[in-house]
Amino acid sequence: MTSRAAGAESADPAGSATRSEARRSAAGAGTAAGGAAPPPRAAGPGGEEPAPIRTATLWAALATGLLSMLLLGDGMAVNLLVVAVPATLAVYAAGRRAGRRPRAWSLVWGAGGLALLVVPSVRAAEWPSFLAVVTALAAGSLALHGGRTWPAVLLGPVGVFTALVTGPAWAWQGLRERAGGDRSKVGPVLRSLAVAAGLLLVFGVLFAQADAAFADLLGALVPDVSTEDGPWRVLLLMLGLFGTLAAARTAAAPTRWDRVQVTAGVARGRVEWALPLIGLIVLFAAFNAVQLAVLFGGYDAVLAETGLTYAQYARQGFWQLLMATLLTLAVIVVALRWAPRTRSSDRTLVRGVLGTLCALALVVVASAVRRMDMYVEAYGLTRLRISVVAMELWLGLVIVLIMAAGVWGARLLPRAVAVSALAGVLAFGFVSPDELIAERNVERYETTGRFDLEYARGLSADAVPVLDRLEEPMRSCALRDIAAELGEERDTPWYATSWGEAEARRVLDERPVASEVSGPASGPTCGEPEWEPEPLGR
C-alpha cells in the first residue's frame, strides 16, 4: 500500500511534460516575459507553479460565472450542463497551456461527472440530485488530479478546493501581466463590453415590442432577474467564477497525491496475524449457518423463541449487520497492513484467510438485504430504507472487488472502488428512488389495503405517474400536495425544469386532482391512513 514517487509522473492523468521539456523551460526562463511558460517549481506533495493563465481561460471562467448567475438561481436541471460547458473549456485551455493532455482515466472521471449532472435534468427529487451533483464535483476534481494509489483516489475528489484561493490569485496575476500596469489596455475592453450590452438591450426591447412572438421567445430564453434576489445572484456569480478558476488552476498544476507516501505496517508472524482472523471466520461461519437455517423455514421457531414480531426481527438485525459489514472492511484494511509478506507461502495464507472472510461477509450482506426486505414488507418502503439498502449493496460490491484484487492484483483496486461509487450514485439517480418508493407502496396497498398516505404526500413529482394508479379519493389525497407545489412552480423556466416535473404536470393536466380534496385533507374526505409505519423505521 506504499505510494512511490517514481510512478507519480506516469500516474498524472493530465499528462506531465517530459524531463527534457522541463529542462528547456528552465533554460528559457529568462524569456518568460515574452509569453513562455515558466519552469515548473515544486510546491507541496508533487505540486508545481502553473503556467500563466490563457485569455481563453479567463473568458471561459467569466462566461461560467455569468451563466451561473443567470441560470442557476431558479433551480437545477439542464442549466447545470449549460454551465458546465464553458467551465470545461476553461479547464481544457489551462491544461493545454501547461503542456498537459487528458489521459484515459481523466476522460473516465470527466465523462462520469458530466453524466451525473444529467440526473437533475431528468429527476424532480432533490435528494438524489444533490447526491449526484456532489459526486460530480468529486469526479471532476479526481479527473483534474488523477492518480492510481489510495491517497490519490481518496484526496483527489476534494483536492480542487485547495485552489479556491490560489485560482483567483493566479487569474489576477495573469490580468496584471496582460495590462502591464497600463490601464489604457483595460479601458477599450470595458468600453466594448458596455457598448455591446447597450446595443443588445436597446434593439432587444424594440424587437420585443414590435413582435409578440419574438417577445415570448425572448422571455423564454432570457432569465428573469429581479433586484430581490440580487445577493443570491451575486453569490452564484462568485461561485461559478471562482470555482472555474480553481478548477483551471488545478488543471494547470495539479497536486500529485500519488507522491504522498504511506509507510507499510510492520509485518506480523503467521500465528499472531492469522489466529484472530481465524477466530473471526469461525464466528462468521456460525452466524451464517444460523441465517441459512432461518432462511429455509425457521422463522416461526425463531420468532416464538425470541418473542419478537416478524418486523421487529427484521429491523433489529439490519442495522447491526450493516455495521458488521463496515467493520469487516476495516478489519481487512488493518489485516493487509500487518500481513506477513516475506515468503510466497505468506501470500497464499493471506489470500486464503482474507478470501474466506470476504466470502462469509458477502453472506452477511445478503442477510442484511433480506432483513430490510422483510421490514419493507411489513412497513413499506421509504427514502431512508432504500438508501441504506443501496449502501449495503455497494459495500458488498467493494468486498467482491477486494476478492478480485486478491486473485488478479490490487493495482486497479483504488480506481475500481471509486468507479463503483460513481456508477452507484449515477444508477441511484436514474432509477428514480421516489418512483420506486411509490411503486412498492402502491403494490402493497393493492395487496393488503395498507397505505401510508402522509408519507406519500411528501414524495416528489417523480412519484406522480405511479400514484396516479390509485383509486379515488386516495389518488387525489396522495397527489394534492404535489399538485399544489407544481402549480406554484408553473413559472419556472424551461432550463430549470426536470423531465420528471414535466411528466408529472402532463399527468395532472390529463387527470386533475379532485376539487373536493384540493383543500386541507381532514375528516371523511381523505381520512386517516389505515396503517401507520413505526416512526423509528423511517
Side-chain angles (χ1 to χ4, degrees):
M1 290 189 178
T2 302
S3 302
R4 298 299 180 188
E9 288 291 335
S10 60
D12 182 10
S16 302
T18 62
R19 290 186 176 88
S20 60
E21 290 173 341
R23 287 194 293 266
R24 287 197 297 269
S25 297
T31 62
R41 181 166 56 87
E48 57 190 36
E49 290 296 328
I53 191 170
R54 294 182 63 177
T55 304
T57 302
L58 290 171
W59 282 112
L62 179 60
T64 305
L66 292 175
L67 288 175
S68 299
M69 178 185 69
L70 295 175
L71 302 182
L72 297 184
D74 298 304
M76 296 187 303
V78 184
N79 46 12
L80 282 175
L81 293 173
V82 176
V83 171
V85 171
T88 304
L89 294 177
V91 169
Y92 178 77
R96 291 287 293 178
R97 178 62 183 269
R100 293 181 166 87
R101 294 177 177 83
R103 292 193 175 182
W105 277 101
S106 295
L107 296 177
V108 169
W109 304 128
L114 291 176
L116 286 164
L117 292 181
V118 178
V119 173
S121 65
V122 297
R123 299 299 171 214
E126 295 180 355
W127 60 292
S129 296
F130 175 78
L131 180 62
V133 171
V134 172
T135 309
L137 294 177
S141 180
L142 190 57
L144 297 175
H145 289 88
R148 60 187 178 185
T149 63
W150 281 113
V153 171
L154 294 176
L155 298 176
V158 297
V160 74
F161 293 102
T162 62
L164 286 176
V165 176
T166 58
W170 173 58
W172 177 250
Q173 181 181 0
L175 287 173
R176 291 184 60 183
E177 291 176 355
R178 280 165 175 74
D182 188 0
R183 296 183 179 180
S184 62
K185 296 182 179 181
V186 181
V189 176
L190 297 178
R191 287 195 295 269
S192 63
L193 291 175
V195 171
L199 290 175
L200 292 175
L201 178 62
V202 171
F203 282 94
V205 171
L206 290 176
F207 289 149
Q209 293 177 349
D211 188 276
F214 182 79
D216 293 338
L217 175 63
L218 198 62
L221 295 178
V222 178
D224 183 15
V225 181
S226 61
T227 56
E228 296 179 357
D229 58 351
W232 171 239
R233 299 284 181 172
V234 173
L235 177 61
L236 290 174
L237 171 65
M238 295 297 101
L239 288 176
L241 178 61
F242 290 169
T244 303
L245 291 176
R249 204 271 184 196
T250 304
T255 302
R256 296 174 186 170
W257 299 111
D258 271 327
R259 292 185 176 180
V260 176
Q261 294 188 0
V262 180
T263 58
V266 179
R268 306 293 178 177
R270 291 188 179 185
V271 175
E272 182 183 3
W273 179 86
L275 185 60
L277 294 177
I278 292 175
L280 186 61
I281 288 174
V282 172
L283 179 63
F284 268 63
F287 176 81
N288 290 337
V290 173
Q291 296 304 297
L292 293 176
V294 172
L295 180 63
F296 289 105
Y299 280 114
D300 295 336
V302 172
L303 297 180
E305 182 178 349
T306 60
L308 299 175
T309 65
Y310 184 78
Q312 287 172 341
Y313 176 78
R315 186 182 69 181
Q316 183 187 50
F318 174 80
W319 299 103
Q320 288 83 350
L321 295 181
L322 176 62
M323 182 60 64
T325 306
L326 290 170
L327 290 178
T328 301
L329 289 174
V331 168
I332 292 172
V333 172
V334 174
L336 286 173
R337 183 173 175 82
W338 289 345
R341 57 181 74 92
T342 56
R343 292 170 290 182
S344 59
S345 57
D346 291 335
R347 292 190 291 272
T348 302
L349 174 67
V350 171
R351 290 176 180 175
V353 171
L354 293 185
T356 304
L357 181 61
C358 288
L360 294 173
L362 288 178
V363 180
V364 172
V365 171
S367 177
V369 173
R370 173 55 185 154
R371 298 244 184 165
M372 180 53 68
D373 186 61
M374 293 166 54
Y375 193 54
V376 168
E377 290 177 3
Y379 291 115
L381 188 61
T382 64
R383 290 173 173 175
L384 175 60
R385 294 165 197 167
I386 194 174
S387 299
V388 294
V389 167
M391 180 68 177
E392 182 73 18
L393 291 174
W394 177 71
L395 292 176
L397 177 59
V398 172
I399 293 175
V400 172
L401 293 175
I402 292 175
M403 296 176 68
V407 177
W408 292 292
R411 186 175 65 89
L412 294 178
L413 181 61
R415 288 181 288 191
V417 172
V419 167
S420 68
L422 188 152
V425 174
L426 184 63
F428 190 74
F430 274 107
V431 299
S432 185
D434 276 10
E435 185 176 357
L436 289 179
I437 293 170
E439 181 75 30
R440 185 67 179 266
N441 292 338
V442 167
E443 289 177 354
R444 180 170 167 274
Y445 173 69
E446 293 172 348
T447 303
T448 65
R450 297 175 176 178
F451 189 72
D452 188 358
L453 181 59
E454 180 182 357
Y455 195 85
R457 290 173 182 153
L459 297 176
S460 68
D462 293 330
V464 169
V466 177
L467 296 177
D468 183 60
R469 289 166 26 195
L470 294 170
E471 297 180 355
E472 294 291 358
M474 185 65 75
R475 173 189 175 274
S476 294
C477 290
L479 294 176
R480 182 204 59 187
D481 292 347
I482 301 176
E485 184 177 355
L486 290 174
E488 294 174 357
E489 298 175 354
R490 179 72 66 172
D491 296 332
T492 302
W494 63 271
Y495 50 79
T497 301
S498 66
W499 181 86
E501 292 172 326
E503 182 66 12
R505 287 196 177 98
R506 183 192 65 78
V507 172
L508 292 173
D509 288 341
E510 293 178 355
R511 295 184 61 197
V513 173
S515 58
E516 59 268 20
V517 296
S518 59
S522 61
T525 304
C526 283
E528 297 298 329
E530 296 184 33
W531 190 79
E532 192 80 21
E534 294 185 19
L536 293 178
R538 295 188 181 183

